[in-house]
C-alpha cells in the first residue's frame, strides 16, 4: 500500500497492510532539515513551512496525515478572528481594522531573532498595533504578544519595511498545488472549526464578564462553520479530510466552557463533513480523556490525537483503546522527549512495540507521537519508529 492508501484504509475502519506511522513533526524538524534560518520559512515563505513538511514526509517516507498545516483562506473571510476566536459583537465589529489596512515592519533585528509589528496611518498619524511577532533563527515563532514581552517599547524607536516576502497562495489554487505535491505520500486536511475558542486572558475575561453573550457566540461560530463549509464544497479540488481541533483544548478551557462555546460548532462541522464523505480529525494536546469520551459518544468523529500520557496529558492508550477503539481511530502517543528526543533507536523501537501492542489490534490505529517532536530529535529515532511500524506493525 502507498501511505495514502494505508491512511484511507484505516480511516474507513478497515485493516491496512501495517500500522500507519505519522510522527508529529509539522514544524521544528521540517524547518531544521531545510538548513535555513527558521525565519526564512515562517516570515519570508522561503519555502512555506507546509511545503517543508511535505519534503520531510517524503524524506522519511511516513504516512503523512497533514492536519491543518495549510492555512486555507477564502476572500470573504476578512480575518481569522471571525471563525477562530470569540466572534465580535456588532459594536466590536466597528473597531476591527481590516487586515489589508495594516503594514508589517521590522522593529528589531539581531543574529538570533527578527521582530515585526504592524502599523497603519490615520490622518497622517502612524498608529502601531500593540502586539508583535518574534521570528527566531532556530525555533518556531512567538506570535501576537505584547511588545514588552519581547523587551521592546509599544512604539518602536526604529523600524524598516518588511520586504522580500515571497507570495504564498493560501487559496484554492494553493491547496490544489499542495495536494499535487503530497500525491501518494498522505492526506491533506484543512480546518473547519476549532475546539479552543478562549485563546487569551482577554478572551477569558470576556467570557466571564458577558454570560449574556454565550449563546450568541456559540451560534455565530456555528454560522461561520456553515459558511466556510459552503466555500470548501464549492472548490474544484477539495481537502482529503476536515480538522476540528486545537492545541490545548482543555488546558485553557474547562469542559463546561468547551461544551458551551466550541462544541456546537464542532458537532455541526462533523455532521456536515461526515454527510459529505470527509473523515474528521481532532488534535488536542494536553489533557484529552474527557474530550475523547465526548467525541466518541456524541459525534461521528473519525480520528483523534495525540492522546498524551501523564503528566502532560491524561490518556492511558490501552484504556482508551478498550473504551473507544471500535468507534474512533486513535493516533499517538510516544513520549516526545524521554523516548523520541533522548532515547536510543533501540528504546524507540521498544516503545513503538509497546504502543502497537496496546492499540493496533483490530485496526483503527496510527502510530504517532504525543505532540510535536522537538527540533533536535535524532533522525535515527524517527527512522526506528517508522521501521518498527513497517515490520512489527504488520497485520
Amino acid at each position: 500500500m502507498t501511505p495514502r492508501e494505508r491512511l484511507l484504509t484505516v480511516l474507513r475502519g478497515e485493516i491496512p497492510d501495517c500500522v500507519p506511522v505519522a510522527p508529529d513533526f509539522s514544524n521544528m524538524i521540517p524547518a531544521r532539515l531545510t538548513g535555513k534560518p527558521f525565519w526564512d520559512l515562517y516570515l519570508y515563505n522561503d519555502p512555506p513551512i507546509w511545503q517543508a513538511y511535505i519534503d520531510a514526509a517524503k524524506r522519511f517516507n511516513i504516512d503523512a496525515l497533514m492536519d491543518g498545516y495549510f492555512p486555507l483562506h477564502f476572500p470573504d473571510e476578512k480575518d481569522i478572528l471571525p471563525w477562530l476566536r470569540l466572534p465580535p459583537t456588532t459594536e466590536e465589529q466597528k473597531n476591527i481594522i481590516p487586515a489589508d489596512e495594516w503594514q508589517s515592519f521590522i522593529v528589531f533585528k539581531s543574529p538570533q531573532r527578527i521582530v515585526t509589528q504592524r502599523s497603519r496611518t490615520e490622518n497622517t498619524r502612524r498608529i502601531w498595533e500593540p502586539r508583535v511577532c518574534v521570528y527566531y533563527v532556530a525555533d518556531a515563532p512567538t506570535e501576537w504578544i505584547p511588545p514588552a514581552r519581547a523587551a521592546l517599547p509599544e512604539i518602536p524607536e526604529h523600524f524598516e519595511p518588511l520586504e522580500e516576502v515571497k507570495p504564498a497562495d493560501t487559496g484554492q489554487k494553493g491547496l490544489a498545488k499542495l495536494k499535487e505535491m503530497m500525491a501518494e505520500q498522505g492526506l491533506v486536511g484543512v480546518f473547519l472549526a476549532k475546539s479552543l475558542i478562549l485563546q487569551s486572558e482577554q478572551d477569558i475575561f470576556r467570557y466571564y464578564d458577558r454570560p449574556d453573550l454565550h449563546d450568541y457566540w456559540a451560534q455565530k461560530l456555528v454560522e461561520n462553520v456553515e459558511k466556510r463549509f459552503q466555500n470548501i464544497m464549492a472548490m474544484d479540488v477539495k481537502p482529503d479530510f476536515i480538522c476540528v481541533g486545537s492545541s490545548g483544548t482543555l488546558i485553557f478551557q474547562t469542559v463546561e466552557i468547551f461544551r458551551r462555546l466550541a462544541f456546537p460548532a464542532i458537532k455541526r462541522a462533523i455532521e456536515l463533513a461526515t454527510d459529505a464523505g470527509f473523515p474528521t480529525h481532532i488534535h488536542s494536546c494536553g489533557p484529552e480523556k474527557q474530550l475523547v469520551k465526548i467525541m466518541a459518544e456524541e459525534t461521528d468523529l473519525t480520528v483523534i490525537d495525540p492522546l498524551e500520557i501523564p503528566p502532560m496529558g491524561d490518556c492511558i492508550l490501552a484504556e482508551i483503546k478498550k473504551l473507544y477503539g471500535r468507534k474512533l481511530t486513535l493516533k499517538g502517543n510516544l513520549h516526545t522527549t524521554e523516548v523520541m528526543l533522548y532515547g536510543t533507536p533501540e528504546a524507540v523501537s521498544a516503545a513503538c512495540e509497546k504502543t502497537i501492542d496496546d492499540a493496533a489490534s483490530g485496526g483503527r490505529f496510527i502510530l504517532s507521537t504525543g505532540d510535536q517532536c522537538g527540533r533536535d530529535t535524532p533522525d535515527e529515532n524517527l527512522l526506528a519508529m517508522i521501521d518498527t511500524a513497517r515490520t512489527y506493525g504488520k497485520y
Side-chain angles (χ1 to χ4, degrees):
M1 286 183 167
T2 67
R4 180 179 179 85
E5 292 169 340
R6 192 172 293 121
L7 287 168
L8 289 173
T9 298
V10 78
L11 294 181
R12 288 194 301 264
E14 301 170 2
I15 304 294
D17 58 342
C18 66
V19 171
V21 55
D24 183 346
F25 55 44
S26 61
N27 281 269
M28 305 293 283
I29 289 172
R32 168 175 64 82
L33 291 174
T34 67
K36 295 185 172 189
F38 280 29
W39 56 59
D40 276 8
L41 290 84
Y42 292 104
L43 179 57
Y44 293 103
N45 297 322
D46 186 23
I49 186 63
W50 53 87
Q51 181 178 323
Y53 169 79
I54 293 180
D55 291 342
K58 291 181 176 180
R59 173 172 176 160
F60 289 103
N61 193 27
I62 68 169
D63 305 303
L65 195 66
M66 190 175 180
D67 55 315
Y69 312 154
F70 179 74
L72 178 65
H73 180 77
F74 295 103
D76 60 352
E77 291 175 336
K78 295 180 181 178
D79 204 342
I80 62 169
L81 178 66
W83 70 277
L84 288 185
R85 302 181 62 182
L86 284 183
T89 63
T90 303
E91 188 62 32
E92 290 168 335
Q93 186 73 45
K94 297 177 183 178
N95 298 320
I96 295 176
I97 307 300
D100 57 7
E101 291 189 19
W102 294 100
Q103 180 181 0
S104 291
F105 291 87
I106 294 175
V107 297
F108 180 85
K109 182 188 291 186
S110 75
Q112 287 74 42
R113 62 179 184 154
I114 295 174
V115 183
T116 65
Q117 188 171 359
R118 298 199 305 182
S119 176
R120 63 186 178 87
T121 56
E122 184 176 292
N123 297 326
T124 71
R125 184 169 66 95
R126 183 164 293 282
I127 298 173
W128 291 93
E129 192 174 30
R131 55 184 188 166
V132 299
C133 295
V134 185
Y135 298 91
Y136 304 98
V137 67
D139 277 304
T142 304
E143 298 180 304
W144 310 124
I145 62 172
R149 284 185 55 190
L152 294 172
E154 283 201 9
I155 299 177
E157 298 174 358
H158 308 284
F159 59 92
E160 62 185 81
L162 174 61
E163 300 175 332
E164 300 183 3
V165 175
K166 291 192 173 184
D169 189 342
T170 57
Q172 301 182 43
K173 291 181 179 179
L175 178 63
K177 180 181 178 181
L178 192 75
K179 289 193 65 177
E180 183 179 342
M181 291 175 57
M182 178 68 83
E184 288 298 309
Q185 199 62 53
L187 306 177
V188 176
V190 300
F191 275 104
L192 179 56
K194 288 275 191 171
S195 55
L196 177 64
I197 307 303
L198 304 186
Q199 300 183 30
S200 67
E201 291 181 7
Q202 181 183 7
D203 286 344
I204 294 171
F205 284 127
R206 288 178 69 205
Y207 177 82
Y208 282 104
D209 287 344
R210 297 301 305 270
D212 57 308
L213 292 177
H214 292 178
D215 290 340
Y216 163 81
W217 284 328
Q219 181 57 36
K220 291 297 292 184
L221 289 165
V222 171
E223 292 173 5
N224 289 333
V225 160
E226 292 175 339
K227 178 180 179 181
R228 185 168 169 85
F229 189 72
Q230 289 177 353
N231 286 335
I232 290 173
M233 292 304 293
M235 295 192 303
D236 293 330
V237 177
K238 296 177 178 58
D240 296 308
F241 65 101
I242 297 296
C243 305
V244 295
S246 300
S247 294
T249 301
L250 298 182
I251 293 177
F252 301 106
Q253 298 172 149
T254 64
V255 173
E256 179 185 15
I257 293 173
F258 165 76
R259 282 190 172 278
R260 188 71 183 269
L261 280 186
F263 189 49
I266 288 176
K267 192 170 184 178
R268 181 59 177 151
I270 294 171
E271 290 171 353
L272 290 168
T274 302
D275 289 346
F278 292 106
T280 50
H281 174 280
I282 278 184
H283 167 89
S284 181
C285 46
E288 197 177 20
K289 186 176 179 180
Q290 293 180 80
L291 190 62
V292 175
K293 176 180 171 65
I294 292 169
M295 292 300 123
E297 295 180 352
E298 301 179 42
T299 77
D300 289 319
L301 182 76
T302 310
V303 56
I304 190 165
D305 73 44
L307 309 173
E308 287 189 274
I309 66 173
M312 307 86 65
D314 58 0
C315 292
I316 305 299
L317 187 58
E319 177 186 340
I320 297 293
K321 176 70 174 185
K322 182 178 179 180
L323 290 172
Y324 310 114
R326 293 181 181 178
K327 179 70 187 298
L328 295 172
T329 295
L330 305 177
K331 178 170 171 270
N333 71 344
L334 300 177
H335 201 291
T336 53
T337 51
E338 291 180 5
V339 174
M340 296 304 299
L341 181 61
Y342 296 125
T344 63
E346 293 75 20
V348 171
S349 295
C352 288
E353 291 178 4
K354 172 67 164 59
T355 304
I356 290 169
D357 290 343
D358 285 344
S361 178
R364 288 194 179 277
F365 176 64
I366 300 169
L367 180 64
S368 187
T369 50
D371 211 9
Q372 182 82 203
C373 288
R375 179 195 63 202
D376 300 326
T377 299
D379 289 358
E380 294 79 8
N381 286 0
L382 292 166
L383 292 170
M385 177 182 177
I386 295 157
D387 181 67
T388 305
R390 301 284 188 250
T391 55
Y392 189 84
K394 281 186 176 180
Y395 282 103

